Amino acid sequence: MANHKSALKRIRSNEAKRLRNRYQHKTTRNAIRRLKSTENKEEALKSLPEVISMVDKLAKKNIIHDNKAANLKSQLTKYVAAL
């Protein structure tokens, strides 16, 4: 167990950040899954910018790697264009 007040605070803040990151990552993954499962091109075109924005935010906060974000965005754009 931690002995310093600052270490105890760090444990609390790390847990809060971990839960927030997990929530944002899971929400984005679900949005990607919904986009990939849609068959309607208009719907997909409407939700694509929102999903790309979510992916960019994850990359900006280092929840996912920048290259992974770029690959996801490319993959989703290709999918929507092929509809």
Side-chain angles (χ1 to χ4, degrees):
M1 190 61 201
N3 292 323
H4 297 281
K5 280 182 105 173
S6 61
L8 293 171
K9 181 178 179 182
R10 176 59 61 195
I11 289 169
R12 286 195 310 269
S13 65
N14 284 347
E15 180 65 12
K17 288 173 188 173
R18 184 185 73 84
L19 292 174
R20 188 179 319 117
N21 289 343
R22 212 170 124 201
Y23 171 78
Q24 290 172 344
H25 196 186
K26 186 68 173 175
T27 304
T28 304
R29 283 200 310 259
N30 286 337
I32 290 170
R33 201 171 292 128
R34 269 195 307 275
L35 180 61
K36 283 184 178 177
S37 68
T38 188
E39 300 294 324
N40 188 354
K41 183 160 184 155
E42 293 82 38
E43 235 178 80
L45 282 171
K46 192 178 122 189
S47 64
L48 181 65
E50 297 166 7
V51 174
I52 285 179
S53 173
M54 293 170 85
V55 170
D56 282 337
K57 285 177 188 170
L58 289 182
K60 182 180 177 185
K61 296 175 184 174
N62 289 324
I63 298 172
I64 62 174
H65 195 273
D66 290 342
N67 291 350
K68 179 177 175 127
N71 290 336
L72 280 171
K73 292 190 299 185
S74 171
Q75 188 182 65
L76 291 172
T77 306
K78 278 169 57 176
Y79 172 78
V80 171
L83 281 177

